[in-house]
Every structure is written in C-alpha cells, then in structure tokens.
Amino acid sequence: MKLSVIIPCYNAQEHIERCLINLANQNLKVSEYEVILIDDGSKDDTAKIIEHLKASTKNIVFYKQPNQGQGVARNYGLKLAKGEYIYFLDVDDYIADNSLSLLLNYLEKYDLDLIGFNTIITENYNLFELNNKAFNSEISITNGIDYITENRHHRLEPWWYITKREYLLEIGVLFEEGVFLEDAIFTINVLLNAKRFAHIPLEAHRYITSPSSTMRSKNQKHLNKLVKSYVELILNLNQMINKISSLPEIYSAKFIENIKYRSSANTMYMFFKIVSSNYTIKDINKVINKLKLVNAYPMDINLLNEEFSHPKIRLAMYIFNHKYLLYLLLYPLRFLERRGVISTP
C-alpha cells in the first residue's frame, strides 16, 4: 500500500463525505491508499456517517476514542497506518484533484524522506483544479536543516507535506498530546532529521478558513487552554534552541536565529490570546516568569520587525514587552476588544 491518510474527526458530520469523495479523486486505486478516520469523541453523527460509508468503501479504517485531542488521534492513526507514506489531513480541508498521486510519484522517484507543497487559503470548497503550469518537473533536493535555514516562514502544520512512514518510525517522533499547537514541534523535528527533502511550488492543499476554528474561538475555557499550549510550545522551542546552540558544527547561526524567530512570534501571538482571555495579572506574571527562565521574554523584536511592521502590531509588541505597561492597559484593552472597538489576531 502506497499511502495512509490520517484524519482526526471531531463533530465533523458536515465534512466527512465530502472529504472522502475528494480523496477518491486523486488518481489512486483503492488498493493503493487507506483513509484512517479517528473519531475524537464527537457529539454529533460523525461516527454514524463513517460507519455507513465504511460499509461500502473498502479502504476506510475507523477508530473511536474519547475526546483527547488531535495529538492523541494522529498518534494512534500513525500506529494503525500500513502505507509506505503518511499524510495528515484536517477533515474540513481538501486536496486538489490528482495531487496525491503526483506527489507520491516524486517521493518514489527521488527517494525522499518527505515532500512539501503549497496551500491556498480559502472559504471555497470547490477549488479542485490543480494548477501545475508554473511547476518545473525538475526538483531541488536538500536536507531539513538547510531548508529551515533558508525558509524562516515555512508552515508548521502537518498537512503541507507527505512523509515516508519508515522515516517517521526511524526518528520516533510523535505529536505532543493534550495540548493545542501540537504540530509545531512535530514538524520541526521531522524536518531536523530529514536527509532528503524537497519542497515543490505546487498548490495542492486547500486550507478552509472558518470563524469556528481552534485559533479563532473566543470561548474562555478554550482560550485558557490555548494560552497554556502556547507556553508549552515556547518552552519546547527554547529547549530546542539551547540544545542546538551547543552544536555549532551542525547548526548555523542563521538556523538558530530562525528557531528563535518562531519562539518570539509565538510569544507575541500568546499575548494577543491573553488579552482575549480571562487571565489575571497574577496569572500573566506566572507566565512571564516561566518564559524568563528560558530567555523567551522579553521577545526579540528585532527578529519580528520584518514581518510584523504594521504600527499597531509594533505598538502591541512594545506593550507586551513591558509588563507593567501591559498590566496597566490589560483591562482597558480587554474592555475595548469585547465591545468590538479593537480586534486581536
């Protein structure tokens, strides 16, 4: 079997059938791929719909678990997988027609550990045509370290690359469980160890934007968990920075700087979520003290200036980096945001 597509599902009754139809249009025989659907404790009819579809679709593998999050679901999907290659897809996103077969051909032809590709961010569920006219069939092979070094802004989600299963098992990397943002450290570790990697400018993936997405929710319980997840991510990134900084013969200064950029950018996003949350000043002070222990606070604004140059963002970063000013302005900012006068990312 060539490919295992692993899809966590939570309250996904509106997306399941469309997702499976999309995967059937990839120029792959049913015997060449499997779709592993992990129901993560859905409260709607997700499981019933999957059971119904499974009865007439030979390549569906279905597993139900209590609600434990995407990290647990993806890890179990990887345990079940039998394909030579692994692809993690979100159930509400989709792939341009015939993309997967094309990508698999390149993985096999060049014996790659993984292959990356581009996404289109959209609200449209009908962008099925694959536009590969601008794509040169010859690809450039590099390793993961060099790729991160030269591509500071690469995405961290697992749906922009397909990976060889044998390679994932060899390096032993898994998703962090019980948190949001679990894919960031996973992706960095997958790239860090890759000896043969290629990124092709093929717009194969469609990322659906939704007001109900994990990152946009204003539910307070959700926001509190998201802030904690940001803290864990930042701590993990800085542990990685400390480790790689001691190996200058392997990791260049530019590579280390790019990981530091990730830490500072996530620190900034975390503070925006804190403004939206019900974190108290006491709570925020505890977070800041944790970040100080790993030199993640204050943020290195010099690393962020190029991408985040808008005056409002620059002002926000200045406030976030001066904690007493943040404490002074926290509740007025929160008041204005909840009344729609200002908005946060």
Side-chain angles (χ1 to χ4, degrees):
M1 184 179 293
K2 284 187 177 182
L3 178 67
S4 296
V5 183
I6 298 171
I7 307 175
C9 306
Y10 179 72
N11 292 347
Q13 63 182 21
E14 296 178 7
H15 306 293
I16 289 292
E17 190 166 4
R18 177 182 50 77
C19 181
L20 293 175
I21 291 171
N22 173 233
L23 290 173
N25 293 322
Q26 297 300 321
N27 198 24
L28 292 171
K29 296 176 182 177
V30 171
S31 60
E32 291 182 308
Y33 75 103
E34 63 180 350
V35 183
I36 302 175
L37 297 164
I38 310 293
D39 180 24
D40 187 33
S42 295
K43 298 177 182 178
D44 63 1
D45 288 333
T46 295
K48 289 182 181 178
I49 294 170
I50 294 174
E51 291 284 11
H52 173 72
L53 294 170
K54 186 175 183 292
S56 59
T57 311
K58 295 179 180 179
N59 61 344
I60 290 179
V61 178
F62 179 40
Y63 177 76
K64 291 172 65 175
Q65 66 178 33
N67 182 239
Q68 298 176 76
Q70 282 202 125
V72 175
R74 285 170 171 162
N75 286 339
Y76 196 78
L78 184 57
K79 183 178 179 181
L80 294 175
K82 297 177 182 176
E84 187 178 350
Y85 297 96
I86 302 293
Y87 181 47
F88 296 100
L89 179 65
D90 288 350
V91 69
D92 52 344
D93 294 340
Y94 64 104
I95 298 293
D97 287 352
N98 302 321
S99 298
L100 294 180
S101 56
L102 180 61
L103 292 163
L104 288 171
N105 287 340
Y106 279 104
L107 280 158
E108 293 174 336
K109 179 179 178 180
Y110 294 97
D111 189 26
L112 301 174
D113 295 322
L114 69 156
I115 191 167
F117 42 89
N118 293 342
T119 189
I120 295 176
I121 300 173
T122 182
E123 296 179 357
N124 189 339
Y125 283 102
N126 298 300
L127 299 178
F128 296 114
E129 185 176 354
L130 179 65
N131 182 4
N132 60 354
K133 293 178 182 178
F135 173 50
N136 186 335
S137 59
E138 291 301 316
I139 67 175
S140 176
I141 299 172
T142 184
N143 60 62
I145 293 174
D146 287 348
Y147 180 77
I148 293 175
T149 302
E150 299 303 324
N151 296 274
R152 172 179 286 187
H153 303 298
H154 70 86
R155 302 196 70 112
L156 294 176
E157 303 91 342
W159 38 250
W160 69 270
Y161 56 88
I162 299 175
T163 316
K164 185 183 290 185
R165 182 167 69 98
E166 182 182 12
Y167 166 67
L168 285 178
L169 295 176
E170 178 186 323
I171 64 176
V173 63
L174 293 171
F175 290 93
E176 190 172 359
E177 300 183 351
V179 296
F180 299 135
L181 311 171
E182 72 287 338
D183 40 15
I185 294 296
F186 178 89
T187 294
I188 292 174
N189 279 322
V190 168
L191 285 168
L192 273 180
N193 291 280
K195 300 295 189 292
R196 294 183 62 79
F197 169 75
H199 181 276
I200 60 176
L202 189 72
E203 293 179 334
H205 180 263
R206 309 292 185 256
Y207 176 78
I208 297 294
T209 57
S210 167
S212 62
S213 70
T214 298
M215 301 306 291
R216 294 188 180 190
S217 173
K218 296 297 183 181
N219 174 276
Q220 286 301 315
K221 183 178 179 181
H222 176 96
L223 279 168
N224 290 343
K225 183 177 178 180
L226 185 55
V227 171
K228 289 178 181 177
S229 297
Y230 268 115
V231 173
E232 287 300 313
L233 172 58
I234 295 160
L235 294 177
N236 286 335
L237 284 170
N238 281 274
Q239 287 175 3
M240 182 179 291
I241 289 166
N242 291 335
K243 181 179 179 180
I244 63 181
S245 295
S246 65
L247 299 167
E249 68 279 8
I250 301 175
Y251 304 104
S252 68
K254 186 177 180 182
F255 176 90
I256 295 168
E257 182 179 281
N258 287 353
I259 302 297
K260 288 180 178 179
Y261 160 81
R262 292 286 181 181
S263 174
S264 290
N266 279 288
T267 302
M268 179 192 70
Y269 286 124
M270 178 202 70
F271 276 115
F272 278 120
K273 297 303 178 185
I274 281 176
V275 170
S276 300
S277 76
N278 58 11
Y279 263 52
T280 65
I281 289 174
K282 184 178 179 181
D283 295 331
I284 299 170
N285 202 51
K286 288 180 181 178
V287 168
I288 288 175
N289 287 336
K290 278 186 177 181
L291 299 186
K292 280 184 173 181
L293 291 175
V294 294
N295 298 316
Y297 184 88
M299 296 174 284
D300 189 338
I301 290 181
N302 290 328
L303 292 174
L304 302 175
N305 280 341
E306 180 183 343
E307 183 176 358
F308 303 101
S309 58
H310 192 284
K312 290 181 180 179
I313 300 292
R314 298 286 292 277
L315 176 60
M317 289 192 292
Y318 181 86
I319 293 170
F320 297 156
N321 258 3
H322 295 80
K323 69 175 187 178
Y324 293 113
L325 180 59
L326 172 61
Y327 299 161
L328 179 66
L329 295 176
L330 176 65
Y331 292 103
L333 288 171
R334 193 169 280 171
F335 176 86
L336 293 172
E337 196 225 9
R338 290 177 181 177
R339 277 151 185 80
V341 178
I342 62 173
S343 61
T344 57

